[in-house]
Amino acid sequence: MPELERELSANRSTALELREERHLVQEGYEFLDEKRILLATEILRGLERYRHARAAWLALHRDAGAALLDAAARHGLDALIVYPGQALAEFRIALRTRRAMGIAIVEAQAAVTASGSSQAIDPSPEAHACGAIHLELMREAVPLAALERSLRRLAAEYRRTERRARALENVLMPELEQALRFVEEQLELYELEENVRVHEASPEL
C-alpha cells in the first residue's frame, strides 16, 4: 500500500473528514482557477494597451532620432554637445491606482514643461525642435513604464496562482481521492466481514 494509506484509520469519521477536506480543496481550486482566468484577461487587456503605447513611443523615438540628426547637421556634433539644454520648469507625475485581484495597477501621466528658450550663442529651430521632441519622449515614457510595471506584477501573480492551482489539481486532490477511496474500500471490507460473521453466528433456519 502507499504510505498515505498506511497512515489512515479506516473508519467513518476519517471518511467524513476526507470528504470535507476534498470539498474545501475543490472550492479552493475553483477560486484559484477563476482568479487566473481574471488575471489572464487583465493581462491581455494590458498587453493590448502596452503594444499601442510602445508603438507610439517607438515612433516618437524615431522622430527624436531624426531631429537629433537635423540638429547635428545644422550645428555640427561638437557644437551640439555643448548646446545649452532646455531647463525644466515642471516635471510632475500624476499617479492613479486601482486594484485588480488584489494587485495594485498603477496608471501614470507626466507633465513636462521647459522653462523657455535656452541662451544659445547660435540658436536654431533644429536645435529647438530636437529639445522639444526629447521632452515629449520623456513625458510619454512615464505612462509606458507604469503600464509595464503593472503588467509585470500581474504576470508574477498569475504565475503564483497557476502554481497553487496546479498543486491542488495535480497533487493534493489526487491524494485526497486516493485516500478516500482507500478508506471507503476498507469500510466496505469491514462491513462485508461483519455481515459474514453475523451470518455464520446466526442459527440456520
Side-chain angles (χ1 to χ4, degrees):
M1 293 181 187
E3 186 65 25
L4 177 62
E5 293 180 355
R6 290 202 299 268
E7 295 174 356
L8 293 173
S9 299
N11 54 58
R12 298 191 182 281
S13 177
T14 300
L16 180 60
E17 290 175 0
L18 287 172
R19 290 191 190 100
E20 290 177 351
E21 187 174 354
R22 181 181 63 180
H23 178 70
L24 291 175
V25 170
Q26 181 65 34
E27 285 187 339
Y29 170 75
E30 290 172 359
F31 169 77
L32 290 174
D33 187 46
E34 181 179 0
K35 182 179 179 180
R36 65 182 170 182
I37 291 173
L38 293 174
L39 283 168
T41 302
E42 186 72 26
I43 289 170
L44 289 174
R45 283 200 295 259
L47 282 173
E48 185 66 20
R49 293 196 303 271
Y50 180 79
R51 278 194 290 267
H52 288 296
R54 188 170 185 271
W57 188 86
L58 288 175
L60 188 62
H61 187 272
R62 288 191 295 270
D63 292 342
L68 181 61
L69 290 176
D70 290 341
R74 169 66 175 79
H75 293 277
L77 186 58
D78 291 339
L80 189 61
I81 290 174
V82 297
Y83 195 96
Q86 291 183 324
L88 294 181
E90 178 187 39
F91 186 87
R92 179 172 48 84
I93 297 177
L95 298 177
R96 187 171 71 89
T97 303
R98 63 182 178 87
R99 304 196 73 83
M101 284 69 71
I103 305 300
I105 307 299
V106 178
E107 297 175 356
Q109 296 293 330
V112 182
T113 308
S115 60
S117 60
S118 59
Q119 301 300 315
I121 297 175
D122 181 21
S124 70
E126 291 86 357
H128 178 76
C130 181
I133 197 170
H134 277 85
L135 285 179
E136 180 69 9
L137 190 67
M138 183 169 57
R139 186 182 72 83
E140 291 300 323
V142 171
L144 185 64
L147 182 54
E148 180 178 349
R149 177 58 179 164
S150 296
L151 282 170
R152 289 183 182 277
R153 287 179 177 175
L154 287 168
E157 183 63 21
Y158 180 87
R159 288 191 293 269
R160 284 192 293 268
T161 303
E162 177 75 4
R163 285 196 300 269
R164 292 169 183 167
R166 288 188 178 277
L168 292 183
E169 182 182 20
N170 299 328
V171 179
L172 189 53
M173 289 173 66
E175 286 183 354
L176 286 172
E177 290 289 349
Q178 181 186 19
L180 182 58
R181 185 166 55 251
F182 167 76
V183 171
E184 290 176 341
E185 288 174 353
Q186 293 301 307
L187 288 174
E188 289 178 1
L189 287 175
Y190 294 159
E191 184 177 355
L192 180 59
E193 290 174 358
E194 183 64 22
N195 290 337
V196 170
R197 282 196 297 270
V198 170
H199 178 74
E200 291 177 348
S202 301
E204 294 184 2
L205 299 177

